[in-house]
Amino acid sequence: MKRLFISLYLLLSLSFLGIGWSLDTLWQRNVDDSGEFNSPLIAFALLLGEIPKQDRLHHLRNIQANHPIPLALHERDQIALAGDIELAPNEVLSTITENKHELFFIAVGDQVLVAGPIDVDPREELRGLFTLFFYLSLALVSLVWVWPLSRDLKNLRQATAAFGKANWDTRIKLAKSSQVSPLASTFNDMANHISELIDNQKHLTNAISHEIRTPLGRLKFALALLPQYFEPNTQVSKRDDFLNAMQADIEEMETLLQELLTYASLETQYVEPEFENCELVNTSQQLIKRLQPLSPTTINWECNFEEVYVKGEVALIERAIQNLITNAQRYGDSTIIVTLNILGEHIRLSVTNDGPEIPLEDQPHIFKPFFRSKLQHHANKGHGLGLAIISRVMNRHRGRITVSSNPNQTTFSLLWPKDSLRTKESGDGQAS
């Protein structure tokens, strides 16, 4: 990271330096010449050229008497110029002497007019200082921009390295104004998702071992007792009860494995699913008809529409509604009410039962896999995966599940966004 910072900083600094130097050179060659002094000197040389040679010196002295500018006329052979330089009548040649004075030469016929020595502009030294200050300012500006970027990239590298060492709680905290803030947000989202996966994996592993251990223990105990139930004098009814108990344990493990497979398959929620039209009214009524014989609790249906369509995966939506009704049958006392309506920007399907209240401290956790409420109303409370499956189904459909509970009733609600909704109103409004 330090290497990146140094290379980027040097690149910007050298780029500013090179561009500034190039522009300064072009300016000096093409714009910033001594035109304010050269133009009068050329005009004066032209006037001297119109005067006879023997009178030029007299005019030159008169000018010097009124304007104390050092001027002199010399023959061309008295002026030694370096190299192949030749003087032209309308061109001023300047040079700087060893003692920091400037001389100007211009041809006047077969003579040379020399102006100087003149002190070099003292602001020239200040110009160098200002140029240095300019480049230092650019370097400082580059540092102000590059240093926070380098620091944030260093934080990203350190966080990535820490996460790679199984520090799953590693997160990146950057200011919203940071250049790499979107990258940090993406990293945090990825870290959250991976952490949830790992936590779920650990939780599922522990829960599975616990859930399977109980029916397996019963099966092992039953196998140990198996010989005595098949003795010649054993009653057939006791033998059948014994075998039915073993079959129930096997079915319990099969149900657990099936729910685990369903829950795991829904982990692919970040893959865009293929949605189709799902009609909620008929689906709910068919589920109620099929589930009603499984429990003595009465299921009532309330809806003001003949048809309500939402976009989704039909099988998963059916599974979510079925899990809600089955859960209500497990805890309800006498009545279950299934309601379908439109609430604001959402389609809401609610399942209400008159069972015991879910403790407030348990409500935020009941949608986690294998979580069991402190509620002890029925001995068979399932495996704790039904509501977790519903939660994942709703997340997959950009919806959510909510719960409200009081001593009189408990209501679970499925909420879908109302976009792509199509409805057909009913004439009577209720069915039970």
Side-chain angles (χ1 to χ4, degrees), residues 10 32 45 61 67 79 82 104 106 125 137 152 168 171 174 180 197 211 218 261 274 305 308 388 400:
L10 287 178
D32 189 18
R61 290 173 180 173
H67 301 281
I79 303 297
F104 297 90
I106 186 170
E125 296 181 359
S137 299
D152 294 342
W168 309 122
R171 299 295 183 272
L174 297 179
V180 294
L197 289 178
E211 294 293 334
R218 291 197 299 262
L261 290 174
E274 295 183 1
F305 302 94
V308 175
R400 68 181 191 274

Side-chain angles (χ1 to χ4, degrees), residues 64-91:
Q64 286 182 310
N66 297 321
H67 301 281
I69 300 176
L71 298 172
L73 276 172
H74 299 278
E75 300 297 328
R76 279 182 177 267
D77 56 4
Q78 294 178 345
I79 303 297
L81 299 176
D84 298 331
I85 299 177
E86 295 183 0
L87 292 175
N90 297 325
E91 182 177 349

Side-chain angles (χ1 to χ4, degrees), residues 92-103:
V92 177
L93 177 66
S94 63
T95 183
I96 298 177
T97 62
E98 295 180 355
N99 54 358
K100 302 298 181 181
H101 288 83
E102 195 169 11
L103 293 175

